[in-house]
Amino acid sequence: MRIRYFAWMREHTGCSEEQLALPAAVLTVSDLIDHLSSVSDGHALALKNRKTVRVAVNLTFAAPDTPLCDTDEVAFFPPVTGG
Amino acid sequence: MRIRYFAWMREHTGCSEEQLALPAAVLTVSDLIDHLSSVSDGHALALKNRKTVRVAVNLTFAAPDTPLCDTDEVAFFPPVTGG
Amino acid sequence: MIAACKIDISVGEDDFDSAVELEKLRSAGVGAIASFTGIVRDEATGPALIALTLEHYPEMTTSQLRKIAEQAADRWQLGAVIICHRVGRLLPEDNIVFVGTSSAHRKAAFDACAFIMDYLKTEAPFWKKEETTQGTRWIDARISDDEALKKW
Amino acid sequence: MIAACKIDISVGEDDFDSAVELEKLRSAGVGAIASFTGIVRDEATGPALIALTLEHYPEMTTSQLRKIAEQAADRWQLGAVIICHRVGRLLPEDNIVFVGTSSAHRKAAFDACAFIMDYLKTEAPFWKKEETTQGTRWIDARISDDEALKKW
């Protein structure tokens, strides 16, 4: 699974993307956030405020209960501020 | 008093403007319309549908009961269609 | 905030250049710019349009447009308002009207621009006469234009 | 009327020219054109702005903007929709975004343009980092931008 981070979440995790072999216990977006939060303090900080975390799975906005599979691309980012 | 006509009202009256010595009985816009309607068939036709007649007195939209004096410029025109 | 808002009204036979007008709006120093451009079009239904002739009440037109712009500047915080309106004989594809507004906030820019167009359509002394392959006729005012004012 | 509406999306570091984009909208064959241009501005409060850097999610950005344009084209009868958005480091006075719509009806053109900007502000993956005389910081999303969606 390809994981991507944008904006200040990227700065907290220290990487713009990483590869992850999807753990068996991770079934949904919410599970994945729990899992990634244990990877490093930076990851925990980036994903700390669940209300602020926006998630896209395969380029489409996803909800906490969106199911995941190992070939998905999952992106984490803060609320957008373009325009 | 200077009277002006625009668009199809001008075509009906046959003139874009005319001078009028304000008759003593004409106190308001409504009175003026009554008076002008008697001037010619063209004038009567132009001013026939009171709901369609728009009036400006001294370059400002006016109502039927707007009072008039001899130095006013009064314009008659149909609902506007610019833009 | 009328005092702070730059208002620029032009009415005449000459064409305007929307690009030049947009550039003027940029120079008003705020970040959100909304614009509307109206163009002569063949309406697709009915006989083919040859030309549109715009008559106006010259002494009243500019002051009336300025009043409308001032009302907008009174209601929203605007950096600038530009209104250009053409008169005379226009051909299909010709510009008729340009309205542009600038503000620090996009909603103010959009609302002010739409407000000005709605009022221009019902309170600015212009009349259109249409010349088609089947003759000429004065264009009727639209009830929908009166209705549009109700939201303001 | 998605089928009839021409949709043109561009995202990149290069500047766009609002005049060129307006010209494209004219060629879509309908008479009412609305546009919005967003420009980098110093907010007047707080430290002076040096630059704004726009980050985005390249693979998602264009498809997301296209979705928003298609939603607008589904909801209003539009001739064309153009969205240009810049990324990278931008200086004060630089263009950030252009949204333009054309329709036979001015209300449809205005509403579609405002709708696209409102959705772009909340659903297109762009993030702004501000560089001021007192350091850099990521700009916070505005609650007012979420609120703006409620009217659609």
Side-chain angles (χ1 to χ4, degrees):
Chain A
M1 170 175 280
R2 186 183 187 192
I3 315 273
R4 303 179 70 168
Y5 304 99
F6 292 94
W8 54 260
M9 290 193 187
R10 171 178 53 72
E11 294 181 347
H12 285 322
T13 62
C15 64
S16 62
E17 63 175 280
E18 55 191 344
Q19 289 293 329
L20 178 79
L22 194 64
V26 173
L27 303 174
T28 65
V29 163
S30 183
D31 297 339
L32 181 60
I33 295 176
D34 291 338
H35 174 75
L36 291 170
S37 297
S38 69
V39 168
S40 77
D41 288 351
H43 284 71
L45 185 61
L47 302 169
K48 188 178 167 188
N49 185 348
R50 297 289 172 107
K51 287 195 173 163
T52 303
V53 178
R54 297 290 178 274
V55 186
V57 175
N58 301 325
L59 312 180
T60 300
F61 279 98
D65 62 354
T66 300
L68 296 175
C69 69
D70 200 47
T71 53
D72 288 336
E73 170 170 314
V74 182
F76 295 99
F77 46 79
V80 306
T81 57
Chain B
M1 170 174 282
R2 185 185 187 191
I3 316 273
R4 303 179 69 168
Y5 304 99
F6 292 93
W8 54 259
M9 290 192 188
R10 172 178 52 73
E11 293 181 347
H12 285 324
T13 62
C15 63
S16 61
E17 63 176 279
E18 55 192 344
Q19 289 292 330
L20 178 79
L22 195 64
V26 173
L27 303 175
T28 65
V29 163
S30 183
D31 295 340
L32 181 61
I33 295 175
D34 290 339
H35 174 75
L36 290 170
S37 297
S38 69
V39 167
S40 78
D41 288 352
H43 284 70
L45 185 59
L47 302 169
K48 188 177 167 188
N49 184 348
R50 297 288 172 109
K51 287 194 175 168
T52 303
V53 178
R54 297 289 178 275
V55 186
V57 176
N58 301 325
L59 312 179
T60 300
F61 279 99
D65 61 356
T66 300
L68 295 175
C69 71
D70 201 45
T71 54
D72 289 335
E73 169 169 313
V74 182
F76 295 98
F77 45 80
V80 306
T81 56
Chain C
M1 302 276 285
I2 290 178
C5 178
K6 189 177 178 303
I7 293 175
D8 187 348
I9 312 285
S10 63
V11 177
E13 295 196 1
D14 293 342
D15 196 10
F16 55 79
D17 183 341
S18 299
V20 171
E21 304 307 327
L22 277 183
E23 207 45 54
K24 286 184 204 162
L25 288 167
R26 292 179 64 103
S27 69
V30 281
I33 295 171
S35 83
F36 179 85
T37 309
I39 295 166
V40 180
R41 294 292 187 195
D42 203 336
E43 289 285 339
T45 55
L49 182 72
I50 296 166
L52 214 53
T53 298
L54 273 124
E55 178 171 331
H56 72 136
Y57 182 0
E59 296 87 344
M60 185 174 175
T61 314
T62 306
S63 67
Q64 194 67 12
L65 292 176
R66 183 168 295 276
K67 266 185 216 170
I68 295 169
E70 285 173 353
Q71 279 168 30
D74 218 11
R75 196 156 159 170
W76 293 279
Q77 285 205 8
L78 303 176
V81 172
I82 293 176
I83 306 177
C84 305
H85 203 297
R86 296 181 71 192
V87 294
R89 190 168 185 270
L90 304 177
L91 303 178
E93 309 301 309
D94 279 352
N95 286 321
I96 303 174
V97 63
F98 175 90
V99 172
T101 53
S102 73
S103 173
H105 306 286
R106 75 180 184 285
K107 185 168 160 49
F110 270 126
D111 285 353
C113 192
F115 171 96
I116 291 168
M117 274 306 301
D118 283 349
Y119 276 84
L120 185 155
K121 283 267 178 186
T122 51
E123 299 195 349
F126 295 101
W127 303 274
K128 287 194 190 101
K129 191 174 195 172
E130 155 180 286
E131 193 181 327
T132 73
T133 47
Q134 289 177 24
T136 65
R137 67 172 192 100
W138 290 95
I139 290 187
D140 283 327
R142 287 187 184 152
I143 291 164
S144 64
D145 287 333
D146 288 329
E147 296 288 323
L149 292 191
K150 290 183 185 166
K151 73 167 173 284
W152 301 115
Chain D
M1 302 277 284
I2 291 180
C5 178
K6 190 176 177 304
I7 293 175
D8 187 347
I9 312 285
S10 63
V11 177
E13 295 195 1
D14 293 343
D15 195 12
F16 55 79
D17 182 341
S18 300
V20 171
E21 304 308 326
L22 277 182
E23 208 45 55
K24 286 185 204 162
L25 288 166
R26 292 178 64 103
S27 68
V30 282
I33 295 171
S35 83
F36 179 85
T37 309
I39 293 166
V40 180
R41 292 292 187 196
D42 203 335
E43 289 286 340
T45 57
L49 183 72
I50 297 166
L52 214 52
T53 299
L54 275 125
E55 178 173 329
H56 72 135
Y57 183 1
E59 297 87 342
M60 186 174 173
T61 315
T62 307
S63 67
Q64 195 66 13
L65 292 175
R66 182 168 296 275
K67 266 185 216 169
I68 295 169
E70 285 172 354
Q71 279 168 32
D74 218 12
R75 194 154 161 172
W76 292 280
Q77 284 204 8
L78 304 176
V81 173
I82 292 177
I83 306 176
C84 305
H85 203 297
R86 295 181 72 193
V87 293
R89 190 168 185 269
L90 303 176
L91 303 178
E93 309 302 309
D94 279 352
N95 286 320
I96 303 175
V97 63
F98 175 90
V99 172
T101 53
S102 72
S103 172
H105 306 287
R106 76 180 183 284
K107 186 171 160 46
F110 270 126
D111 285 353
C113 192
F115 170 95
I116 291 168
M117 273 307 300
D118 283 348
Y119 275 84
L120 185 155
K121 283 267 180 187
T122 51
E123 299 195 350
F126 295 101
W127 303 275
K128 287 195 190 100
K129 192 173 195 173
E130 164 179 278
E131 192 182 327
T132 73
T133 47
Q134 291 176 21
T136 65
R137 66 171 194 102
W138 290 96
I139 291 185
D140 283 326
R142 288 189 184 150
I143 292 165
S144 63
D145 286 333
D146 288 328
E147 296 289 322
L149 293 191
K150 291 184 183 163
K151 72 166 174 285
W152 301 114

